[in-house]
Amino acid sequence: GVSIYTMNYTKVYVNVYAVEPSDWAAYKTFLREYARTDNPPNPPGRLVMDDTINLEAPSDVLTETLIDLSDVMEGDYGHFIMIIKPPKGFFEKERYWEHILTWVQVTQIGLDAIVDHSEMVAWATALEDGAPLSGITIRSDGDLSVTTGEDGLARFDIPNTGILYLTATKGKDVALLPRSSYTWSDDVWASRKVNDT
């Protein structure tokens, strides 16, 4: 499940959309549009939850509430966009700064990346115990596809087109590692020239 923390709210509205890692670029576009319009678009993906969650908590106490995703999951893994909104008062406009918009992934793969000016090392480990994962397929948003060795590492040149995100796949489990989650740009891992100074 996903934990949220609230104070002095009696309920929240929760929308959950099932997505794939390939929806990452569209999700970033959605975040930008959501922040700058009074009629935000729907996020990418398929709506799988549209619910009101009643919160039982004493006044003036920060309270944790667990939102269970098990009913909307198909199997043990998945990727979701969650939009969580508090209720608004009768005369109030939508308070967008109080909304929670987040990408959630349910995975057992830990994926990290280390780069220099021209090369990347992707490292896949088991979240359960930190053990390196061999035979994991590492892909980019482009044509890159490599496989991790016994040490969980895959070393490769950064393609000229750059890399917006990486995925690591083990069976039906797919982990996503974006270059950046910053809303206002689509940064990529890119190769660059090294000059003497």
Side-chain angles (χ1 to χ4, degrees):
V2 176
S3 291
I4 61 170
Y5 295 86
T6 57
M7 184 184 294
N8 295 335
Y9 285 123
T10 59
K11 61 184 176 182
V12 291
Y13 307 114
V14 179
N15 286 346
V16 179
Y17 293 79
V19 289
E20 301 292 337
S22 57
D23 292 313
W24 179 257
Y27 169 67
K28 295 282 291 288
T29 300
F30 160 73
L31 290 179
R32 289 192 283 269
E33 293 302 314
Y34 198 94
R36 62 186 177 195
T37 177
D38 290 334
N39 296 298
N42 290 327
R46 175 174 51 90
L47 182 65
V48 293
M49 180 188 293
D50 183 359
D51 203 359
T52 300
I53 296 179
N54 295 313
L55 306 174
E56 297 180 5
S59 299
D60 301 325
V61 175
L62 184 65
T63 303
E64 178 184 11
T65 301
L66 188 67
I67 299 174
D68 187 7
L69 295 177
S70 60
D71 288 342
V72 300
M73 290 180 58
E74 297 177 358
D76 296 327
Y77 314 105
H79 291 257
F80 304 94
I81 294 170
M82 296 187 69
I83 303 173
I84 303 165
K85 304 177 184 179
K88 62 180 181 178
F90 187 75
F91 293 105
E92 291 178 335
K93 291 184 177 181
E94 202 79 60
R95 299 187 302 269
Y96 294 107
W97 60 89
E98 293 185 0
H99 296 181
I100 299 171
L101 293 85
T102 189
W103 182 291
V104 175
Q105 53 181 320
V106 183
T107 179
Q108 290 301 314
I109 302 171
L111 179 58
D112 293 285
I114 305 164
V115 299
D116 62 11
H117 67 281
S118 63
E119 194 175 44
M120 174 177 282
V121 177
W123 186 29
T125 56
L127 290 178
E128 182 179 26
D129 58 9
L133 294 175
S134 63
I136 299 297
T137 302
I138 306 292
R139 293 189 177 92
S140 73
D141 53 302
D143 297 329
L144 176 77
S145 180
V146 294
T147 303
T148 60
E150 291 296 323
D151 54 4
L153 299 176
R155 185 183 302 268
F156 49 90
D157 292 333
I158 300 172
N160 293 332
T161 54
I163 297 175
L164 181 64
Y165 62 82
L166 292 176
T167 60
T169 303
K170 180 182 180 182
K172 294 186 177 181
D173 189 358
V174 182
L176 171 69
L177 178 64
R179 168 63 179 88
S180 171
S181 59
Y182 180 57
T183 299
W184 299 105
S185 69
D186 289 321
D187 292 335
V188 298
W189 285 293
S191 59
R192 64 185 189 280
K193 292 181 179 179
V194 176
N195 298 317
D196 290 332
T197 57

